[in-house]
Amino acid sequence: MPALPRSYHRSLRFLCSVLAGFYACFTTAGEITVAVASNFAAPMREVATAFERATGEHRLRLAFGSSGKLYAQVYHGAPYDAFFSADQDKVERLIVRNLAIPDTRLTYAEGQLVLWSADSTLIDTGSAVLTTDRFRKLAIANPKLAPYGVAAMQTLGALGLEEATRERRVVGENISQTYQFVASGNAQMGFIALSQIYRNGEILRGSAWRVPRALYQPIRQDAVLLRNKAASSPEQKAASQAFWAFLHGPEARSIIASYGYLANPGDREPLAVTEEVTDAQ
């Protein structure tokens, strides 16, 4: 077969460069992967839907788990583009280790702890139910992995009930599993995130006592963009920047607040959760 002339190769290279440029002009959509603490799963799904609808081009892939496990995955090279922790410490450690971009750090929410039962009549006297024999199992998230577990243990300590409840405590790997223990009835009640049972000013079902914030350290939840070496394309960078801008906007803040989080530094606490709450319709 005769060799092709040089002019043919030049023309082919030129055509390829033109097509590449043409494609770049019209391909601006990017997809990023976001690691999200379990307590924030429901609001993040709603925020992601709103973001994708607002931009019409960018997409988010969501991965959920305990903050501790997600942190370990990032530390060992998991290809996440952003990390939403249930505390501030893990984000700080990623920044110190040069695995996250410091200027992108934000406190996206402050979580609220609640003692909850799927039984609408169980928690009718606030924390006093913890001193009774009306329950067999009390669920908490693993305090070694989950900030809400830390808050639960701080609350029990402040109430002088850490030792009294020791034999009845069952530990979930994360706050989602803790919620499942209670929702399924395997535990009669448990300390969970208010966001798991709260929408637009009311408890969805069961009975609850919102733990006074004085009994545990604030659960300030930070997020940060990560130095994902695999995410080097302009499209992914554009998606990350667009998503971060969206998080600061009123639509995202409104969604976050609707789940019972304090979404801004000046926020008041969510609408009061009374000592006894009946099933919401």
Side-chain angles (χ1 to χ4, degrees):
M1 181 177 178
L4 294 173
R6 290 184 178 180
S7 58
Y8 175 87
H9 290 288
R10 286 196 299 268
S11 299
L12 184 59
R13 286 195 297 270
F14 176 76
L15 178 60
C16 288
S17 64
V18 169
L19 289 175
F22 180 85
Y23 180 80
C25 289
F26 290 92
T27 307
T28 58
E31 180 179 84
I32 59 174
T33 303
V34 184
V36 185
S38 296
N39 78 89
F40 200 64
M44 178 56 87
R45 290 189 183 99
E46 192 169 336
V47 167
T49 298
F51 168 70
E52 291 177 354
R53 182 177 60 244
T55 64
E57 54 181 4
H58 300 307
R59 294 290 178 265
L60 301 182
R61 295 180 60 191
L62 305 177
F64 301 107
S66 69
S67 294
K69 286 205 167 184
L70 292 174
Y71 167 84
Q73 290 171 7
V74 173
Y75 181 79
H76 289 101
Y80 297 132
D81 302 292
F83 174 45
F84 282 69
S85 181
D87 64 4
Q88 296 181 305
D89 176 67
K90 294 173 185 61
V91 167
E92 176 65 26
R93 282 190 274 165
L94 289 175
I95 290 173
V96 168
R97 288 168 170 75
N98 200 33
L99 296 172
I101 304 171
D103 291 346
T104 65
R105 180 179 185 174
L106 76 148
T107 301
Y108 65 92
E110 182 177 326
Q112 308 294 299
L113 185 70
V114 65
L115 178 66
W116 177 68
S117 173
D119 181 343
S120 62
T121 66
L122 182 58
I123 304 177
D124 56 2
T125 55
S127 63
V129 69
L130 291 166
T131 65
T132 72
D133 59 0
R134 297 175 63 191
F135 70 99
R136 290 180 292 104
K137 294 296 181 182
L138 172 68
I140 68 167
N142 187 342
K144 295 181 179 180
L145 296 173
Y148 282 85
V150 174
M153 292 304 298
Q154 290 172 344
T155 297
L156 291 173
L159 294 172
L161 296 173
E162 183 176 349
E163 187 60 36
T165 59
R166 183 183 301 275
E167 296 302 319
R168 291 195 276 181
R169 291 200 300 267
V170 57
V171 179
E173 181 178 284
N174 53 49
I175 203 67
S176 291
Q177 188 178 64
T178 306
Y179 168 82
Q180 289 299 327
F181 285 160
V182 184
S184 66
N186 289 324
Q188 288 68 48
M189 59 185 179
F191 286 102
I192 64 170
L194 178 61
S195 61
Q196 294 173 295
I197 57 165
Y198 180 96
R199 296 295 181 278
N200 297 312
E202 63 182 18
I203 298 295
L204 299 180
R205 69 183 181 108
S207 55
W209 171 61
R210 192 180 70 207
V211 179
R213 293 167 67 197
L215 297 184
Y216 60 93
Q217 293 180 352
I219 308 173
R220 296 193 178 99
Q221 304 187 192
D222 278 11
V224 71
L225 288 175
L226 301 171
R227 298 189 189 278
N228 181 2
K229 295 179 180 179
S232 57
S233 75
E235 293 79 21
Q236 286 172 301
K237 291 178 181 178
S240 296
Q241 292 170 357
F243 181 48
W244 237 238
F246 183 81
L247 286 173
H248 287 83
E251 185 173 7
R253 310 313 294 172
S254 177
I255 292 170
I256 293 170
S258 74
Y259 283 82
Y261 292 96
L262 303 184
N264 291 296
D267 280 348
R268 298 177 182 179
E269 292 192 15
L271 297 179
V273 176
T274 59
E275 301 287 1
E276 183 176 2
V277 184
T278 57
D279 289 347
Q281 301 299 316

